[in-house]
Amino acid sequence: MDMTHIPDLITPAIPVFVITVIAEVFWVKKLRQERGDTIKGHTWKDTLASLSMGLGNVAVGVFWKGVAFAGYAALYHLTPLRLGHGLLAWVLLFFLEDLCYYAFHRVHHESRLFWASHVVHHSSQHYNLSTALRQTWTPMTGWVFWAPLALLGFSPEMIVTQQAVSLLYQYWIHTEAIDRLPRPVEWLFNTPSHHRAHHASNAAYIDVNYAGILIIWDRLFGTFVPETERPIYGLTKNLTTHNPVRIAFHEFAAIARDAARPGPLSQRLGYIFRNPAWKPKGALPPEAPPPMEAAHPAP
């Protein structure tokens, strides 16, 4: 298997990302004039922080994508199953990859170690196309969720291609400029409305709408909540910095601080692996919590 020709749909799309972010800035300004303050809009600092996180993710991906591809290739060679590259295989992969994404996304909200990687994407208090580019610098926590696809007989090239298709789809739903779509679309697909709820810190929206492309998984597994009240974007304890390095690693640092507290091993492991909001019984909050500490995902 030629490791030098790993399919890459994301890098060629970078100019489109830049152009559409700029176009959205002007379009949202127009909408804000029409609607008042109902749209959060953009700020230079926030947008630049998001773009910095995106560029960092691309840089890390130069190395990590090769490692992940090699892992899929190793599993693919271990299994006797081969599903081929025909239309039916691609249709099956579309649904199974989307289910893998749902599992990946849900675990990355409900277990703190995984959340430490994913929290980056939720750290903005704005919601626009640049938010979609605010990606993790520690993508290593995700590989295992797609590994079963290789064991089922999907080639590594197909897996990474469909992953990229999913990410490209999810780019356009990070916007307030699109209201609700026709009801059949809202019922079947992940849309800007559904994903706005996912990025909100409102109590009604915590841990909901984990979909990639299809919202049917959330409906099936009981995690779907429609957008009703106006979303408040960001974390339940928001960051006070636009420094990309601190955005990338602040929750790992918070985990280390909590796990170092005096207490039994079960408590230390709880701080690492249990829900981001978990606290041991009787635990008191720190007298002066560091301003960078994020307690719970704002899905």
Side-chain angles (χ1 to χ4, degrees), residues 169-213:
Y169 176 89
Q170 292 177 60
Y171 172 72
W172 74 274
I173 63 177
H174 289 81
T175 186
E176 293 184 285
I178 298 175
D179 201 1
R180 283 178 174 79
L181 298 173
R183 186 171 297 179
V185 177
E186 294 284 345
W187 193 92
L188 184 60
F189 292 99
N190 197 10
T191 64
S193 177
H194 299 330
H195 208 57
R196 283 193 291 269
H198 175 74
H199 269 260
S201 61
N202 311 50
Y205 296 144
I206 296 293
D207 294 339
V208 303
N209 298 1
Y210 298 117
I213 297 176

